[in-house]
Amino acid sequence: DAGVIQSPRHEVTEMGQEVTLRCKPISGHNSLFWYRQTMMRGLELLIYFNNNVPIDDSGMPEDRFSAKMPNASFSTLKIQPSEPRDSAVYFCASSTPGRGNQPQHFGDGTRLSIL
Amino acid sequence: AQTVTQSQPEMSVQEAETVTLSCTYDTSESDYYLFWYKQPPSRQMILVIRQEAYKQQNATENRFSVNFQKAAKSFSLKISDSQLGDAAMYFCAYRSRAQGGSEKLVFGKGTKLTVNP
């Protein structure tokens, strides 16, 4: 079975440019999560969706960040304009929803470098 | 808000020996899950083991086991017969099971485990 697929794997761009990260969750998983990993702050949730609806976006740092889930098989995380402090590894994860102990399955992450 | 603390930034162990990684957490909830994830240099996040807070029995997965002390809010990971492939960052994580609670994972800062041949 295919796991969570993220693209690109690496992204290097200049400050001020728009960045779009993409995620395809595991088929049948109705919950999708975006996490950011930095040395200073570790792994933190940015936003998550249930059935394509944003449920908790309290981790989205500011208006420069936006996330969408137009359908059950695709999500994007966009940063516009990008800044050097946005450099991090961004993970997408998916799971079946609910109160059970279903684990979150992670993609391989996108390493983003803003110059 | 829930917090997860891993007090050991780095640990090392000899191959075939046993090592224990510590994790404590803070929550006012009584119903939750705890997880250990492994992140090797390849950057993947791999689930190692999970524990339901309502279960008294400690979870075990082959060479990996946990010591879950709910009253002390402690959730340590024991790796037996350590192998070179166990070398990685290990993250402890918390997730609410409360009705209406967030499904997000709250992570500790991680412990880097080195396995010496």
Side-chain angles (χ1 to χ4, degrees):
Chain A
D1 289 341
V4 176
I5 300 172
Q6 289 187 248
S7 64
R9 185 158 171 82
H10 305 278
E11 174 88 12
V12 180
T13 191
E14 292 188 348
M15 182 175 67
Q17 297 298 305
E18 179 179 288
V19 174
T20 300
L21 309 182
R22 297 173 175 78
C23 176
K24 176 179 170 58
I26 293 172
S27 178
H29 282 192
N30 295 339
S31 292
L32 183 139
F33 306 80
W34 283 101
Y35 292 91
R36 180 171 67 175
Q37 184 177 30
T38 63
M39 289 294 292
M40 289 293 292
R41 300 176 65 89
L43 274 154
E44 297 179 300
L45 179 83
L46 297 176
I47 186 171
Y48 83 89
F49 297 83
N50 275 347
N51 295 316
N52 312 338
V53 176
I55 301 300
D56 182 353
D57 65 354
S58 59
M60 294 288 266
E62 49 198 272
D63 292 346
R64 297 185 298 105
F65 285 69
S66 63
K68 294 182 179 180
M69 192 165 186
N71 58 62
S73 58
F74 184 66
S75 177
T76 60
L77 178 67
K78 190 169 293 188
I79 309 173
Q80 166 64 21
S82 57
E83 296 182 3
R85 60 192 168 119
D86 301 330
S87 297
V89 178
Y90 291 80
F91 285 100
C92 177
S94 71
S95 73
T96 53
R99 299 176 64 218
N101 70 348
Q102 53 275 12
Q104 294 178 17
H105 298 264
F106 285 74
D108 289 343
T110 294
R111 180 177 294 279
L112 177 64
S113 298
I114 309 296
L115 306 177
Chain B
Q2 296 83 22
T3 59
V4 177
T5 301
Q6 293 179 249
S7 59
Q8 305 153 318
E10 296 187 24
M11 291 281 286
S12 64
V13 63
Q14 290 297 125
E15 197 175 2
E17 297 296 309
T18 296
V19 65
T20 298
L21 308 184
S22 300
C23 172
T24 59
Y25 57 94
D26 188 30
T27 183
S28 59
E29 299 177 333
S30 59
D31 204 3
Y32 49 86
Y33 298 104
L34 297 164
F35 303 85
W36 279 96
Y37 279 86
K38 168 185 176 181
Q39 186 179 40
S42 64
R43 199 168 79 205
Q44 293 174 291
M45 290 290 289
I46 302 165
L47 178 68
V48 175
I49 198 165
R50 73 188 96 168
Q51 174 80 42
E52 294 90 343
Y54 59 85
K55 289 187 177 179
Q56 291 186 339
Q57 186 171 6
N58 289 323
T60 299
E61 289 286 343
N62 300 315
R63 298 182 295 108
F64 298 87
S65 62
V66 299
N67 183 4
F68 173 48
Q69 302 289 329
K70 190 173 183 179
K73 296 180 181 175
S74 171
F75 183 60
S76 61
L77 174 70
K78 185 171 82 171
I79 306 174
S80 303
D81 186 23
S82 297
Q83 300 176 359
L84 295 177
D86 295 334
M89 284 290 288
Y90 285 83
F91 293 94
C92 179
Y94 171 102
R95 199 190 89 201
S96 172
R97 191 175 179 266
Q99 188 70 39
S102 176
E103 293 180 43
K104 71 179 182 184
L105 290 171
V106 177
F107 287 92
K109 290 293 179 68
T111 296
K112 182 179 180 181
L113 178 66
T114 300
V115 180
N116 301 310

